[in-house]
Amino acid sequence: MFGLPPYALRRKINGGLNRLSRTRQLSRALGLPYELQLVPTNACNLRCRACPKTHYPTDNRHLSPDVYERVKNELFPTIRILNLQGLGEPLLSPLFRRMVADARAFGLKIKFVTNAMMLDASLMEEIVRAGADVTVSLDGACAETHEDSRTGSSFSVIMDNMKIMSELGEKYKDGGFHLSLNTVVTKRNVGELREILEIGARCKILCLTLISPGVGEREDDYAQDVISRFPELLRRELPLLKESARAKGIQLFSPEFAKTENVRQKNDAGRKEKPFRLFPGTCLDPWRSAYIDVDGWVRPCCRAVWIGMGNILEKPFRKIWNDVHYIRLREHVNSDNPPEFCRGCTLWWGITRGNELYTKELEARGVILPQPPQIGVTDPAKGKAAI
């Protein structure tokens, strides 16, 4: 209609409804998600020390073709971003190339995080030409540090593949491709962050995201070294890191707890004063995005893969999206009584602003949180041990 690309009008209308829903934080969403996180596989070729797959029993299933066809038919016409990510390495999925091709045909922006070990020349060209946003996991500026964190990885292979993708990005510079880095920060690698940024600059990355790993109740040596236990180490690095990133035109994202008080006050200046809340962040994921697992189960988010909100093979997604479980989630996520899985969130845009230990800090200050609300149903195929 009127020369618009296919689905453009539907996406524009849905985008407006989605924006209205999340701005007003309506318990019943007016539109469908803006972004979909679809799990290609829960299998992985590495055993990274920060990952739940290394420490807890998890499944290794690939995305079911039946689930994929249902998702494609129901959601591809309205979403704008397809995030191909789960607990595994997305490139291991037998459907990965097909999903990239379909997403490109639907005019979707593709995003995924990869350990960059399974890439080959033809796949990298397909990905770059599709205009994907590719984030590579890099936990050190040298082989020793990175490979200690990500067992089975090869620093040299990653460097080679990042260089190739960077060159392809220059070749197809109008295609919308972006390369970025994720770094899981610990006491062990915090001193290498500026060198990691330099590596990224040579490969023309868009952004570097610093992640505080979630370790739950683990007490192993790696868990003892997570940066949330040593925030002052990251605070010392951030000023020069920010200055360097700004000079290189690289976006830098870091956990809120690592920022100095002056920076937090500056960030808060100009914002409309809001009623006091126990949790510092505001999460908009229950309005903005959805997470669908390999077997069709819709999850609240990537931090709650044992909770089911409904299965797309049993019920249309549109009904799941505004069923009682999602309504309850939206009512509680940004309250003083959020769901249990939100209270230990490690995502910088979540209610803890990336601080997994925030709830324990509240308890240390004498704050007693109420019993969390029951959200969704426990998936018997996974159980809580899965995370």
Side-chain angles (χ1 to χ4, degrees):
M1 181 185 291
F2 308 114
L4 290 173
Y7 311 112
L9 184 58
R10 289 178 66 177
R11 286 185 183 135
K12 191 172 184 64
I13 294 171
N14 185 67
L17 292 173
N18 185 280
R19 191 178 305 110
L20 180 62
S21 296
R22 66 178 187 266
T23 300
R24 298 188 179 182
Q25 296 192 25
L26 304 176
S27 58
R28 184 177 291 276
L30 299 178
L32 291 171
Y34 177 91
E35 177 176 341
L36 172 64
Q37 184 168 350
L38 179 61
V39 181
T41 182
N42 282 318
C44 193
N45 54 318
L46 303 184
R47 283 297 176 264
C48 302
R49 301 186 71 177
C51 184
K53 288 191 70 65
T54 303
H55 303 278
Y56 304 102
T58 60
D59 69 75
N60 293 306
R61 294 173 296 171
H62 298 310
L63 177 64
S64 157
D66 291 343
V67 170
Y68 175 61
E69 286 301 317
R70 185 70 63 89
V71 168
K72 183 175 72 172
N73 292 336
E74 291 193 29
L75 287 168
F76 278 25
T78 51
I79 62 171
R80 292 176 183 261
I81 301 171
L82 179 63
N83 185 355
L84 297 174
Q85 199 63 52
L87 281 178
E89 167 55 45
L91 303 185
L92 287 174
S93 171
L95 296 176
F96 185 81
R97 274 186 151 102
R98 177 176 157 194
M99 289 189 287
V100 170
D102 286 347
R104 191 176 183 189
F106 273 84
L108 302 178
K109 184 65 175 179
I110 307 162
K111 296 184 353 184
F112 64 93
V113 179
T114 176
N115 57 47
M117 292 295 297
M118 307 295 294
L119 292 162
D120 58 44
S122 65
L123 180 55
M124 283 189 276
E125 181 143 358
E126 286 178 42
I127 289 167
V128 172
R129 295 188 70 177
D133 283 357
V134 179
T135 300
V136 173
S137 298
L138 184 67
D139 287 355
C142 63
E144 181 181 4
T145 307
H146 174 79
E147 292 171 10
D148 176 68
S149 176
R150 297 185 177 270
T151 305
S153 183
S154 168
F155 183 81
S156 61
V157 169
I158 294 170
M159 293 300 101
D160 289 345
N161 287 338
M162 285 181 60
K163 183 174 182 291
I164 292 170
M165 285 191 286
S166 177
E167 291 170 350
L168 286 168
E170 286 296 298
K171 180 179 178 180
Y172 302 108
K173 61 173 57 180
D174 296 328
F177 169 77
H178 296 111
L179 186 62
S180 297
L181 289 176
N182 274 357
T183 297
V184 176
V185 187
T186 66
K187 183 181 178 183
R188 305 170 186 217
N189 66 0
V190 65
E192 298 181 24
L193 294 180
R194 275 175 274 174
E195 296 171 76
I196 291 173
L197 185 68
E198 290 293 336
I199 291 172
R202 291 196 295 271
C203 293
K204 301 178 177 62
I205 65 168
L206 175 68
C207 70
L208 169 62
T209 300
L210 307 180
I211 299 171
S212 176
V215 295
E217 301 300 320
R218 285 167 42 203
E219 296 292 341
D220 56 89
D221 61 339
Y222 185 89
Q224 294 301 312
D225 286 346
V226 296
I227 203 62
S228 56
R229 298 181 187 273
F230 305 96
E232 70 283 354
L233 296 181
L234 184 52
R235 287 190 191 117
R236 286 204 295 264
E237 292 290 327
L238 276 179
L240 284 177
L241 196 64
K242 286 180 177 179
E243 183 180 336
S244 180
R246 193 179 304 113
K248 298 175 192 303
I250 296 173
Q251 299 172 38
L252 179 69
F253 299 100
S254 61
E256 187 76 13
F257 67 81
K259 298 175 183 176
T260 64
E261 189 62 33
N262 288 341
V263 171
R264 283 196 292 269
Q265 289 176 356
K266 183 178 179 181
N267 289 345
D268 290 338
R271 292 178 182 171
K272 292 182 180 179
E273 188 171 339
K274 297 179 181 179
F276 173 78
R277 287 179 48 236
L278 286 178
F279 289 84
T282 298
C283 179
L284 298 177
D285 278 2
W287 294 269
R288 190 184 64 84
S289 64
Y291 181 109
I292 301 182
D293 215 332
V294 293
D295 52 5
W297 276 101
V298 180
R299 312 292 182 191
C301 72
C302 62
R303 292 288 304 162
V305 297
W306 68 92
I307 298 294
M309 308 292 272
N311 194 298
I312 198 169
L313 293 178
E314 300 171 358
K315 185 187 295 186
F317 179 83
R318 187 178 294 273
K319 290 189 175 181
I320 296 172
W321 187 237
N322 272 320
D323 206 346
V324 61
H325 301 307
Y326 259 112
I327 289 174
R328 190 174 295 138
L329 173 61
R330 295 184 187 113
E331 288 173 345
H332 286 89
V333 62
N334 294 314
S335 73
D336 286 340
N337 185 24
E340 183 178 9
F341 50 81
C342 298
R343 299 180 182 192
C345 185
T346 60
L347 303 175
W348 60 267
W349 63 85
I351 64 168
T352 67
R353 290 183 174 173
N355 185 2
E356 182 188 24
L357 304 177
Y358 185 80
T359 299
K360 290 184 178 180
E361 292 173 6
L362 285 178
E363 292 170 353
R365 283 155 40 193
V367 176
I368 301 175
L369 295 174
Q371 190 70 18
Q374 178 66 40
I375 305 292
V377 296
T378 301
D379 182 354
K382 288 195 171 184
K384 189 170 179 179
I387 194 69

